[in-house]
Amino acid sequence: MLGVLGGMGPLATVDFLTKLIENTPASCDQDHIETIVSSASHTPDRSSAIIGTGEDPYPHMKKALVGLERCGADIIAIPCNTAHYWHAALQKETKLPILHIVDAVVDQFESSRCNNGVVGILATTGTIQAGVYQTRLLNRGYGYVAPALHSQSDVMHAIRLVKAGQLALASKILSVQARLLMDAGCTVIAMACTEIPLALADISSDLAPFLVDPTKALARACIQAAGLEPVKLSVI
Amino acid sequence: MLGVLGGMGPLATVDFLTKLIENTPASCDQDHIETIVSSASHTPDRSSAIIGTGEDPYPHMKKALVGLERCGADIIAIPCNTAHYWHAALQKETKLPILHIVDAVVDQFESSRCNNGVVGILATTGTIQAGVYQTRLLNRGYGYVAPALHSQSDVMHAIRLVKAGQLALASKILSVQARLLMDAGCTVIAMACTEIPLALADISSDLAPFLVDPTKALARACIQAAGLEPVKLSVI
């Protein structure tokens, strides 16, 4: 049984669950993976905690993890990039394997694209400051580019717009930032905050083939961990 | 904390969670209701069990309920109309209140429409045969019309098409059936299988004002049970 440490935010969790269903080879309800989801939406803001301006979310995450364990989860996924700052600490709390979203992204690259590319990171300021992507990408032989400081505050603004339901404006801002990263030499862009694919999902621009959705990569990693072969992809 | 006994089917649970989020008055993650979801997708088909051709789903539902209780749920919702056949039995297993989807629908009528109408029931054959809606509607002063036998098999076929992702054809069949129920004197149509609103959601026809979405009604009942005022509705 898959345990989902979710609610960060609630809409991103629903997006993850949708991608889990869409990528599962299934023709009826019973073909789908049994899942227990803890939507711990009261968890304090992860980004604020990392940059030192907010309450510590860790006790909330730990409590949700214990609940999932008690419900019989065999493996854990966290559909929130920023929350992966606490991945190692959470992993120490449990014997259950906690999949890492960056590993899921890199595994996806390796199974379907050229290796050793340069990854542009669109993410919360917390994710960037915590180095969630950078360390793991470098360890696995990838370069990266993160937005410049003033660009990063635009990205963060767009993420907050998604959380408030203003997708159109968010999409506009994020497209500009993605293009800047491509101009800076990136070969692919990781939409490394679960809110970003919600705003960039419908993009039919020339950017689309270069956008990688970590939420989808994590969903597919969960399907593989359950011993199933995810449905074939046209693009990542 | 809201406990969701879900996975029947998985997509309907995601639809319920989306409606829970959309109907919650929230401006940030932390405003949303803490939720634990058991997506017990391996639960055998409810309709087949009721009509006597399939395995008993009750042990699966009971196990999921116990899991939710153990995780600290305070109240339970089941986003599957047919599963309400086992509502009374499940309620006997736990001290936690289990909201009833038909009560949620009737409460919605009473807060926003004229009382004592006639409700057309679009549902699985299991839901119809079990009388999930009929008994409760009559007890609360409502009449009802269920489709004739041959129409009911069309409805069931459409529901299976939704589960298989063929929304366009399903929408066509269900629109025809909804119109037949209106012609038979119904004042409102309950889309009483969680798959049906997925197929009829985008309908921009003259039927739209008469379609009631029990999934949404249940989501709003959960929000009220959490002590919050659901966001205002233009139509039910």
Side-chain angles (χ1 to χ4, degrees):
Chain A
M1 183 157 70
L2 170 64
V4 180
L5 187 48
M8 305 178 282
L11 205 56
T13 296
V14 166
D15 181 51
F16 168 78
L17 294 173
T18 305
K19 284 165 185 162
L20 185 70
I21 294 168
E22 286 170 353
N23 285 276
T24 301
S27 61
C28 66
D29 292 354
Q30 290 74 23
D31 290 342
H32 286 276
I33 299 169
E34 295 250 303
T35 307
I36 179 102
V37 185
S38 178
S39 187
S41 51
H42 293 180
T43 307
D45 188 74
R46 284 65 60 195
S47 234
S48 305
I50 292 171
I51 62 174
T53 61
E55 199 192 325
D56 184 10
Y58 189 70
H60 286 76
M61 288 193 256
K62 185 178 158 183
K63 193 180 155 202
L65 176 66
V66 170
L68 293 172
E69 217 170 5
R70 211 178 291 157
C71 283
D74 301 304
I75 190 166
I76 303 291
I78 310 173
C80 171
N81 289 275
T82 313
H84 280 74
Y85 175 63
W86 291 272
H87 178 275
L90 287 166
Q91 186 60 83
K92 278 187 196 143
E93 309 272 4
T94 180
K95 282 177 187 160
L96 303 180
I98 306 179
L99 298 181
H100 196 295
I101 198 165
V102 181
D103 286 338
V105 168
V106 175
D107 290 345
Q108 191 111 321
F109 287 155
E110 293 184 351
S111 69
S112 56
R113 292 200 181 213
C114 52
N115 296 346
N116 306 88
V118 177
V119 182
I121 312 169
L122 286 179
T124 61
T125 306
T127 302
I128 299 285
Q129 283 203 12
V132 168
Y133 272 70
Q134 297 93 313
T135 317
R136 232 153 169 113
L137 285 172
L138 289 178
N139 285 345
R140 293 192 61 175
Y142 288 79
Y144 69 84
V145 181
L149 258 187
H150 61 280
S151 289
Q152 181 55 39
S153 65
D154 282 0
V155 173
M156 199 60 218
H157 176 57
I159 291 168
R160 291 214 181 87
L161 288 174
V162 176
K163 285 184 193 285
Q166 295 182 53
L167 297 186
L169 182 53
S171 169
K172 215 166 163 180
I173 297 169
L174 292 168
S175 299
V176 170
Q177 294 304 326
R179 236 171 267 282
L180 286 173
L181 290 172
M182 293 301 287
D183 292 345
C186 292
T187 49
V188 71
I189 307 286
M191 300 183 284
C193 166
T194 42
E195 316 289 343
I196 295 176
L198 304 178
L200 287 181
D202 291 328
I203 208 166
S204 53
S205 79
D206 51 324
L207 274 174
F210 305 104
L211 297 174
V212 174
D213 178 354
T215 304
K216 192 166 161 186
L218 183 62
R220 293 174 67 86
C222 291
I223 294 163
Q224 279 177 317
L228 300 170
E229 188 56 41
V231 298
K232 273 224 153 76
L233 282 178
S234 47
V235 286
I236 290 190
Chain B
M1 183 155 71
L2 170 64
V4 180
L5 187 46
M8 306 177 282
L11 205 56
T13 296
V14 165
D15 182 50
F16 168 79
L17 294 174
T18 306
K19 283 164 184 162
L20 185 70
I21 295 169
E22 285 171 353
N23 285 275
T24 300
S27 61
C28 67
D29 292 352
Q30 290 74 23
D31 290 342
H32 286 276
I33 299 170
E34 296 250 303
T35 308
I36 180 105
V37 185
S38 178
S39 188
S41 51
H42 293 180
T43 307
D45 188 73
R46 284 65 61 194
S47 235
S48 305
I50 292 171
I51 63 175
T53 60
E55 199 192 326
D56 184 10
Y58 189 71
H60 286 75
M61 288 193 254
K62 186 178 158 183
K63 193 180 154 203
L65 176 66
V66 170
L68 293 172
E69 217 169 5
R70 212 177 290 157
C71 283
D74 300 304
I75 191 166
I76 303 290
I78 310 173
C80 171
N81 289 273
T82 312
H84 280 74
Y85 175 63
W86 292 272
H87 179 274
L90 287 166
Q91 185 61 83
K92 278 187 196 141
E93 308 272 5
T94 179
K95 283 178 185 159
L96 303 180
I98 306 179
L99 298 181
H100 196 295
I101 198 166
V102 181
D103 286 338
V105 169
V106 176
D107 290 345
Q108 191 110 319
F109 288 155
E110 293 185 350
S111 69
S112 56
R113 291 197 182 212
C114 52
N115 296 348
N116 305 89
V118 178
V119 181
I121 312 170
L122 287 178
T124 61
T125 306
T127 302
I128 300 285
Q129 283 202 14
V132 169
Y133 271 71
Q134 297 93 314
T135 318
R136 229 152 171 116
L137 285 171
L138 289 176
N139 285 346
R140 294 190 62 173
Y142 288 78
Y144 69 84
V145 181
L149 260 187
H150 61 280
S151 289
Q152 180 56 37
S153 65
D154 283 1
V155 172
M156 200 61 217
H157 176 55
I159 290 168
R160 291 213 182 87
L161 288 174
V162 176
K163 285 185 193 284
Q166 296 183 52
L167 295 187
L169 182 54
S171 169
K172 216 166 162 180
I173 297 169
L174 292 168
S175 299
V176 170
Q177 294 304 326
R179 237 171 266 281
L180 285 172
L181 290 172
M182 293 301 287
D183 292 346
C186 293
T187 49
V188 72
I189 308 285
M191 299 183 286
C193 167
T194 41
E195 316 289 343
I196 296 177
L198 304 179
L200 286 180
D202 291 330
I203 208 166
S204 54
S205 78
D206 51 325
L207 274 174
F210 304 104
L211 298 174
V212 175
D213 178 354
T215 304
K216 192 166 159 185
L218 184 62
R220 294 174 66 84
C222 291
I223 293 163
Q224 278 176 318
L228 300 170
E229 188 57 41
V231 296
K232 273 224 154 74
L233 283 179
S234 45
V235 286
I236 290 188

